Amino acid sequence: MTQAGTGHTAEEDKGGLRTALAGLTTRGRSFLAAGVAAAICAYVLGQSDLLRVGLLLAALPLVCATVLYRTRYRVAGSRRLSPGRVPAGSEARVHLRMDNISRLPTGLLMLQDRVPYVLGPRPRFVLDRVEAGGRREVSYRVRSDLRGRYPLGPLQLRLTDPFGMCELTRSFSTYDTLTVIPRVEALPPVRLTGEAKGYGDGRQRSLALAGEDDIIPRGYRYGDDLRRVHWRLTARYGELMVRREEQPQRSRCTVLLDTRGIAFQGAGPDAAFEWAVSGTASTLVHMLERGFSVRLLTDTGSSVPGEGADGFAGASQESADAAGMMMDTLAVIDHSDGAGLSRAYDVLRGGNEGLLIAFLGDLDEEQATVLGKMRQRSGGAVAFLLDSESWVREPTEVPGPLDKSVDRLRMLREAGWTAVMVPRGAPLADLWREADRQRTHMASTGTTAGGGGT
């Protein structure tokens, strides 16, 4: 953010006197009141010397206010965030820079930046006289345990005269946005379901576009395998032509986040819903790094803006941008008003969706049945089931009956899901390994769990 200005315009001159008087400090108002009182007393008593003193006392703050208001120097302000996207609970540093772009030195400047209260106290700085063409740089730190998008700014400058009689505020109009994304936990590279790895291994390969007789070949490059030379086209064009490289199919992964308001209890950074959002973020990043084509899906059927039909591709130059877009979406995601998962099922029922990983809140029997149908549309399915009631219960309270949660867990497993119950505050990496152990047990007992590696 960069913008210049502390000078005033012709429109501001209309209320110049009122603005100047409103900027008088307590000291300035006291001098003005004392001067007026001395002038009245001098008039009543006929003391000319006292009148001179009164006029001097009253004129000093008025002159200071007028000179300060008429100041014509210009200041440019800029803000830089480092970084602009930060995980919840981590700090970001905000760098402020003030440049005096006028030919006159400034007086004492008091710089203030507006920040939301969740990021910490409002930062204030006192800048000494800035010479013509000079600059000053200051910085402060912000931190939030709550994800979201927070506006920073606009910057405010408070100008004061050398005697402290008057203070005027000048504001810049632009602001920046700090994005606080969910916490991302590194996950171990286990093989949750199936045998195929993320990118190419264990999958059928397909030639680009036109198969063996690729009609869009390319010229021979040093190092190309001669077995890929297309001799018929070479004879036609008079130069060596090779078939396009084989393009491996990507494994696909859909990460389903249950955002139903009725499925989660509690609020705050330690709530069950926040754990589910953080788990979703960790899974998305992990699967992208493993080379999967990843898609984020919610119970409302919505996904990330700009996401393709197969999701975002991993193991590519665009994977970092894709992760950033999904993290930005998760930074502002909130509870939905929906009561079921049918919309998400409608999105998935188009065919084999590859690996399906779901982070779920409280389920009733109907939603557990819908999830069972989702399993039939995926090559493999892993569910992390949160009992939100246990997350809001105090540690000293006696746990309530878990029959309902256990029953829903059993229904998911009978439908072919690799389902894991999530206790309060459990590390996702441990649950990730538990899901792998459960898959191994299901395979050893003859129960199939689908295909797709992680």
Side-chain angles (χ1 to χ4, degrees):
M1 180 277 292
T2 301
Q3 187 178 358
T6 56
H8 63 284
T9 65
E11 295 180 356
E12 293 174 330
D13 287 335
K14 298 178 180 179
L17 181 59
R18 181 181 303 175
T19 303
L21 293 178
L24 290 176
T25 62
T26 302
R27 178 184 298 178
R29 294 177 186 274
S30 299
F31 268 67
L32 181 60
V36 172
I40 293 176
C41 293
Y43 176 78
V44 173
L45 301 176
Q47 297 291 329
S48 58
D49 293 337
L50 183 58
L51 178 61
R52 296 188 187 95
V53 174
L55 293 177
L56 177 61
L57 292 176
L60 182 59
L62 296 178
V63 171
C64 290
T66 303
V67 172
L68 185 63
Y69 183 76
R70 292 288 180 177
T71 299
R72 292 289 181 175
Y73 60 79
R74 294 177 60 82
V75 175
S78 63
R79 181 190 299 105
R80 178 172 58 88
L81 304 181
S82 178
R85 183 189 291 124
V86 61
S90 300
E91 290 185 344
R93 183 167 289 275
V94 183
H95 301 268
L96 303 178
R97 173 175 167 175
M98 305 303 299
D99 293 88
N100 182 10
I101 59 177
S102 68
R103 298 180 179 179
L104 299 174
T106 70
L108 187 67
L109 301 179
M110 286 174 283
L111 179 64
Q112 177 177 276
D113 203 8
R114 290 186 178 181
V115 299
Y117 72 94
V118 296
L119 297 182
R122 180 172 296 183
R124 295 180 174 88
F125 305 94
V126 177
L127 305 181
D128 294 332
R129 176 179 178 274
V130 182
E131 65 280 3
R135 69 182 183 188
R136 297 290 186 271
E137 295 184 4
V138 293
S139 65
Y140 63 93
R141 294 177 296 179
V142 291
R143 179 182 181 275
S144 174
D145 292 326
L146 298 175
R147 55 187 175 81
R149 293 173 60 88
Y150 301 101
L152 300 178
L155 279 171
Q156 289 184 330
L157 277 178
R158 295 176 63 188
L159 314 177
T160 183
D161 65 280
F163 299 101
M165 298 290 180
C166 183
E167 289 182 356
L168 295 181
T169 301
R170 295 285 185 263
S171 296
F172 297 94
S173 60
T174 58
Y175 63 91
D176 292 280
T177 301
L178 174 68
T179 302
V180 181
I181 62 176
R183 295 181 178 92
V184 175
E185 182 178 349
L187 302 180
V190 301
R191 299 278 298 279
L192 281 182
T193 55
E195 299 177 355
K197 295 182 180 179
Y199 190 55
D201 297 341
R203 305 283 294 184
Q204 292 182 350
R205 291 173 176 258
S206 60
L207 289 174
L209 299 181
E212 293 184 359
D213 293 326
D214 194 347
I215 61 175
I216 309 180
R218 60 173 176 82
Y220 175 82
R221 298 172 184 170
Y222 179 78
D224 284 339
D225 191 345
L226 292 178
R227 290 175 296 182
R228 291 176 45 229
V229 174
H230 198 298
W231 295 110
R232 186 172 57 184
L233 292 177
T234 297
R236 179 187 303 176
Y237 290 105
E239 61 175 330
L240 283 177
M241 305 294 292
V242 297
R243 295 183 179 89
R244 181 171 296 182
E245 295 179 355
E246 295 179 342
Q247 302 295 324
Q249 292 183 345
R250 291 184 183 275
S251 297
R252 300 170 62 186
C253 175
T254 299
V255 182
L256 172 63
L257 174 61
D258 184 4
T259 65
R260 296 173 299 140
I262 61 175
F264 296 92
Q265 302 180 30
D270 297 327
F273 181 68
E274 294 302 320
W275 189 98
V277 174
S278 178
T280 299
S282 302
T283 302
L284 289 170
V285 173
H286 177 74
M287 302 307 288
L288 277 175
E289 292 175 348
R290 298 285 291 176
F292 280 71
S293 291
V294 180
R295 176 172 60 175
L296 171 63
L297 183 66
T298 68
D299 56 285
T300 62
S302 61
S303 57
V304 180
E307 187 178 75
D310 294 333
F312 291 107
S316 65
Q317 294 181 352
E318 293 81 13
S319 60
D321 295 335
M325 293 178 65
M326 289 188 286
M327 294 301 104
D328 289 344
T329 300
L330 291 175
V332 297
I333 201 167
D334 202 355
H335 291 296
S336 69
D337 297 329
L341 301 171
S342 57
R343 292 184 180 178
Y345 172 68
D346 292 338
V347 175
L348 292 175
R349 67 181 183 180
N352 192 328
E353 297 294 332
L355 179 61
L356 174 62
I357 302 177
F359 291 85
L360 307 168
D362 297 332
L363 300 174
D364 54 25
E365 185 175 352
E366 179 182 356
Q367 304 314 315
T369 302
V370 173
L371 287 168
K373 296 178 181 179
M374 287 186 187
R375 172 64 184 89
Q376 301 173 6
R377 300 291 180 176
S378 61
V382 181
F384 296 96
L385 184 61
L386 290 86
D387 179 14
S388 63
E389 183 178 351
S390 66
W391 285 68
V392 298
R393 185 172 53 243
E394 295 295 332
T396 57
E397 295 183 21
V398 179
L402 298 178
D403 295 343
K404 180 180 177 181
S405 299
V406 173
D407 183 59
R408 302 296 176 258
L409 200 66
R410 177 186 56 79
M411 292 181 63
L412 292 179
R413 289 174 177 172
E414 289 179 352
W417 284 80
T418 300
V420 179
M421 183 67 71
V422 180
R424 180 176 181 177
L428 179 59
D430 294 344
L431 300 176
W432 203 251
R433 297 186 183 94
E434 172 61 27
D436 179 53
R437 288 192 292 267
Q438 185 181 134
R439 192 275 313 171
T440 303
H441 175 72
M442 293 174 64
S444 63
T445 57
T447 304
T448 59
T454 64

